[in-house]
Amino acid sequence: MRPLLAIVAVIATLVAVGLFVRGAVTIVRTLRRGAASPGRLGPVRQRLGTALREILTHERFRSRPVARVAHWFVMMSFVLLVPTLALAYAQVLDPYATLPLVGGWAPWQWLLEVFSWAGLAGIAALVVLRIRYGSDPDDAADARDWRSRFFGSTRWQAWFVEAVIAIVLVCVLTMHAMESALLRQDPATAAAGGWQHFPLTSWWGDGLLDVPTASLETGIVLLAMAKILVSMTWMAVVGLGTTMSVAWHRFLGVVNVYARREPDGATSLGAAAPMLIDGTPFDIRELDDLADDAAFGVGTIDEFGWKSLLDFASCTECGRCQDLCPAWNTGKPLSPKLFTLALRDHAAAGVDGRAPLTESSPAGPNPTGLHPDDLLGALTSAGALGTPTRDGALVPGAITPDVLWACTMC
């Protein structure tokens, strides 16, 4: 059975990785459509330091301590799950397999134990927050829900991402309990199966000491296989959904924080950034020297800088911006989140084949499934749904004029 499972695991991995790489290439192609974004890649040392500090400390979450701690542990557990996934391929063939160098090292196993339990607790906390600040699924598409930060966010995507991480963490912890019991059944390895190596799951393993060795071995093999299949399903789904930014932000968010406007991490509140014309800051004193066809501002998606397109693709749909927007909270059609998501979907248009950017493309408010249902319902109820035009104009193609005029420039 084990060789057959290994073959299935390899085939699933090849398909999932292929789809994921395809999705990554599609996103890169989307970003390359953008105009120049001067100054966003240097100075390298300062930007790297800022990115590492912000990612490792989650300092931008300071006003939301529960979300800050929960998200940090989930993020770190996601990183630490990668080597355990690599180990799973070996465990499909040999339930006693360990990672090279660190496999039997107690501190490494302690680290996995702590972050697996903490990551699971973090997922539980985020689920509670999502329920607390969420919309009623039966009403969200029909009426504007002022209380919900997640109004318009694609519910199934968020639940899918959180469920995958939770399932994999449960697999890791259950396997640790089984490994603890399995090792203690053999006097030669009993010391490695106790609390010294599995401090937070050996108690669970105590209840499995009477389970036959063959059953424990089979359980570890099946859980390793489950971990692989669940992880590869995640990669395949995310690869097919290039606008699934709640998942892609795990990768794009790192680049986004690095390429932020201020290299030292300072906020962008204050003076607006200079308007760019052909990638060069516009100086009002040079107005008379501009070409007659020079375009001010942004009229089509391709006129955004690549950093703006990265912002759209990195949106986590968390709704913090919507929660604080004075326009949204006073009944106007502008939600920064809905605005960003609408532009995200239009940025992907023409690259992944879903959108109306050519003369032969269909017209209508949601041609070829441009927006997911939750976002479509939210845009419609807020009066912010544009009608895509064949020339690719953002107004009224992506958003209605009322959305722009609702902005208070806070």
Side-chain angles (χ1 to χ4, degrees):
M1 179 183 74
R2 294 179 190 177
L4 178 60
L5 291 178
I7 292 172
V8 173
V10 169
I11 293 173
T13 300
L14 290 175
V15 172
V17 171
L19 291 173
F20 187 83
V21 170
R22 173 183 173 274
V25 170
T26 300
I27 290 176
V28 170
R29 289 175 57 201
T30 300
L31 301 184
R32 291 185 65 182
R33 292 174 59 186
S37 297
R40 294 304 185 118
L41 298 179
V44 174
R45 179 179 297 179
Q46 186 179 29
R47 287 188 174 277
L48 280 176
T50 299
L52 285 173
R53 185 188 74 243
E54 292 206 0
I55 292 171
L56 292 179
T57 65
H58 272 37
E59 62 185 27
R60 296 294 171 183
F61 285 77
R62 65 173 68 94
S63 62
R64 299 180 185 273
V66 175
R68 179 181 188 175
V69 174
H71 189 275
W72 188 85
F73 276 111
V74 171
M75 177 192 73
M76 294 303 297
S77 65
F78 183 84
V79 173
L80 290 172
L81 286 176
V82 174
T84 72
L85 177 61
L87 175 60
Y89 289 90
Q91 289 176 311
V92 167
L93 293 172
D94 177 13
Y96 295 91
T98 60
L99 285 172
L101 301 179
V102 298
W105 191 40
W108 166 252
Q109 292 169 324
W110 301 343
L111 192 69
L112 286 180
E113 296 253 303
V114 169
F115 277 94
S116 293
W117 282 111
L120 197 58
I123 285 289
L126 294 177
V127 166
V128 170
L129 290 175
R130 185 167 293 277
I131 293 173
R132 178 180 178 185
Y133 295 106
S135 310
D136 182 341
D138 296 327
D139 298 335
D142 303 320
R144 183 167 176 167
D145 189 341
W146 297 98
R147 300 163 298 174
S148 175
R149 286 171 41 203
F150 300 108
F151 179 65
S153 301
T154 305
R155 289 186 297 272
W156 78 262
Q157 293 180 355
W159 291 121
F160 171 76
V161 169
E162 290 169 350
V164 164
I165 297 176
I167 291 171
V168 174
L169 286 171
V170 169
C171 286
V172 169
L173 292 169
T174 308
M175 290 172 72
H176 277 204
M178 289 184 170
E179 290 168 16
S180 173
L182 188 62
L183 292 174
R184 280 185 284 168
Q185 287 181 349
D186 185 347
T189 58
W195 66 268
Q196 299 93 333
H197 284 256
F198 299 96
L200 301 180
T201 53
S202 61
W203 62 270
W204 190 351
D206 291 343
L208 302 175
L209 289 174
D210 294 331
V211 177
T213 297
S215 297
L216 289 173
E217 291 174 347
T218 300
I220 291 172
V221 169
L222 293 178
L223 284 172
M225 188 67 187
K227 188 161 60 171
I228 291 170
L229 293 181
V230 170
S231 300
M232 292 307 107
T233 299
W234 183 87
M235 292 191 73
V237 171
V238 170
L240 290 170
T242 54
T243 57
M244 194 173 173
S245 52
V246 69
W248 280 105
H249 91 275
R250 284 158 175 75
F251 313 101
L252 301 179
V254 176
V255 183
N256 200 3
V257 173
Y258 172 86
R260 62 182 305 144
R261 178 174 166 184
E262 303 297 341
D264 62 356
T267 62
S268 297
L269 297 176
M275 183 180 295
L276 301 179
I277 296 181
D278 295 330
T280 303
F282 169 65
D283 188 334
I284 189 65
R285 292 170 295 184
E286 300 175 358
L287 181 63
D288 293 337
D289 299 328
L290 284 178
D292 293 337
D293 59 351
F296 291 86
V298 176
T300 64
I301 203 72
D302 294 333
E303 292 172 349
F304 277 108
W306 64 262
K307 177 56 171 64
S308 294
L309 299 184
L310 178 62
D311 291 339
F312 306 154
S314 305
C315 178
T316 65
E317 304 188 13
C318 70
R320 285 189 295 162
C321 59
Q322 178 176 284
D323 204 23
L324 299 173
C325 178
W328 179 255
N329 284 297
T330 52
K332 298 179 179 63
L334 169 62
S335 156
K337 182 185 71 176
L338 300 182
F339 177 80
T340 297
L341 297 182
L343 292 174
R344 176 200 65 189
D345 291 348
H346 278 262
V351 176
D352 61 9
R354 294 180 304 112
L357 296 185
T358 67
E359 288 298 325
S360 60
S361 299
N366 196 40
T368 62
L370 178 65
H371 302 305
D373 290 343
D374 289 328
L375 177 58
L376 178 63
L379 288 168
T380 301
S381 64
L385 179 65
T387 301
T389 58
R390 299 193 185 283
D391 61 2
L394 293 178
V395 181
I399 53 173
T400 63
D402 288 343
V403 170
L404 291 182
W405 287 109
C407 182
T408 65
M409 293 295 286
C410 65

